[in-house]
Amino acid sequence: MKDHSDLACTNVHSAIQDTLYVVNGKWKLLLLSILINEGTKRFGELARASGISPRILSKELHELELNQLVSRQVCPTKPVTVEYSATPYAGTLKEVIDAMIRWGQRHKQKLVRS
Amino acid sequence: MKDHSDLACTNVHSAIQDTLYVVNGKWKLLLLSILINEGTKRFGELARASGISPRILSKELHELELNQLVSRQVCPTKPVTVEYSATPYAGTLKEVIDAMIRWGQRHKQKLVRS
DNA sequence: CCGCATCCCTAAGGATACTG
DNA sequence: CAGTATCCTTAGGGATGCGG
């Protein structure tokens, strides 16, 4: 008999929902992917690389910071620049991100073929 | 030198966004997880298992059907029942779903510890 | 350059009631 | 039982302009 007890299913369901809650919306996983794969970036660079408007970008980065997935470093240049990096903890999301990249690529191939 | 050409990055970015577009929202990955891990379910069973209200559930299932991720089978019982199953193609999302389950479980552990 | 404030619009999602 | 219709609330996200 497979493990379909209520408890096990509930845990699986809530685990997915917990993850979705942290990385909700159109942008968070994209931003993490950029920071993980391309390293530290400044605010403006992220805005250009992602196509996100400054208001949304600011909000998303702030939420990612609250979840300890990105770190923010202010550089005392003139005028100031701000650098964002993926934290080590964000690395634990890499397998999610990579799986999504692979699936998106395969899915596009499928659409072309059909 | 790492492969950071514009083209490669663009492909990675759009692959993520393509995936996010297909499985957007709070519910689609949860529904697929249930159907993949627990097998075929009727509309009412899905509603109870997921906690989704009928209107939303109907809409989400319809969108998943359009993307060929679930199949819908009407059974000529009295009154009719309708069974939903994950398609073989939905199996290709399993690595995404499993990665999210693992991450959600680890993340909850982390929150408990800190 | 960073990123907040304001304003606005659309999309997502929930509650309830109802019909085939 | 399945799922649509109606109504409503909230969240997501875009544009622009200003201040540090």
Side-chain angles (χ1 to χ4, degrees):
Chain A
M1 167 183 171
K2 282 183 281 181
D3 183 358
H4 283 172
S5 70
D6 282 358
L7 183 57
C9 292
T10 299
N11 285 344
V12 164
H13 299 176
S14 71
I16 291 190
Q17 302 198 76
D18 291 343
T19 303
L20 289 172
Y21 183 78
V22 173
V23 297
N24 58 18
K26 292 160 64 174
W27 302 120
K28 291 198 183 68
L29 286 173
L30 176 63
L31 288 171
L32 287 172
S33 168
I34 292 173
L35 290 174
I36 289 173
N37 290 313
E38 304 174 31
T40 299
K41 283 205 184 299
R42 287 186 296 108
F43 186 87
E45 291 176 321
L46 273 177
R48 260 174 284 115
S50 63
I52 312 178
S53 70
R55 193 186 75 91
I56 304 297
L57 181 56
S58 174
K59 193 192 55 146
E60 302 283 282
L61 288 170
H62 193 71
E63 291 170 17
L64 289 170
E65 226 189 319
L66 288 180
N67 283 309
Q68 302 175 45
L69 292 167
V70 307
S71 63
R72 179 179 184 274
Q73 163 122 25
V74 179
C75 305
T77 49
K78 180 168 76 76
V80 290
T81 58
V82 184
E83 291 184 341
Y84 292 90
S85 318
T87 62
Y89 185 53
T92 63
L93 271 170
K94 196 169 189 327
E95 64 173 320
V96 173
I97 291 168
D98 288 347
M100 290 186 76
I101 291 172
R102 283 192 295 272
W103 194 85
Q105 288 167 340
R106 264 194 283 168
H107 185 62
K108 184 170 286 181
Q109 288 305 311
K110 176 177 185 294
L111 293 184
V112 170
R113 284 196 305 270
S114 56
Chain B
M1 166 183 172
K2 284 184 280 181
D3 182 358
H4 283 172
S5 71
D6 282 358
L7 183 57
C9 292
T10 298
N11 287 343
V12 164
H13 299 176
S14 71
I16 291 190
Q17 302 198 77
D18 292 342
T19 303
L20 289 172
Y21 183 78
V22 173
V23 297
N24 59 21
K26 292 161 65 175
W27 301 122
K28 292 198 182 68
L29 286 173
L30 176 62
L31 288 171
L32 288 171
S33 169
I34 292 173
L35 290 174
I36 289 173
N37 290 313
E38 304 174 30
T40 298
K41 283 203 185 298
R42 287 186 294 108
F43 186 88
E45 291 176 320
L46 273 176
R48 259 174 285 114
S50 64
I52 312 179
S53 70
R55 193 183 76 90
I56 304 297
L57 181 56
S58 173
K59 192 193 55 146
E60 302 284 278
L61 287 170
H62 192 71
E63 289 171 18
L64 290 170
E65 226 190 318
L66 287 180
N67 282 310
Q68 303 176 45
L69 293 168
V70 306
S71 63
R72 180 180 182 273
Q73 163 122 22
V74 179
C75 304
T77 49
K78 181 169 75 79
V80 291
T81 57
V82 183
E83 291 185 340
Y84 291 90
S85 318
T87 63
Y89 185 52
T92 62
L93 272 170
K94 196 169 189 327
E95 65 174 318
V96 173
I97 292 168
D98 289 347
M100 290 186 77
I101 291 172
R102 283 193 295 272
W103 193 84
Q105 289 168 340
R106 264 194 283 169
H107 186 61
K108 184 169 287 180
Q109 289 304 311
K110 176 177 186 291
L111 293 184
V112 170
R113 285 196 304 270
S114 57

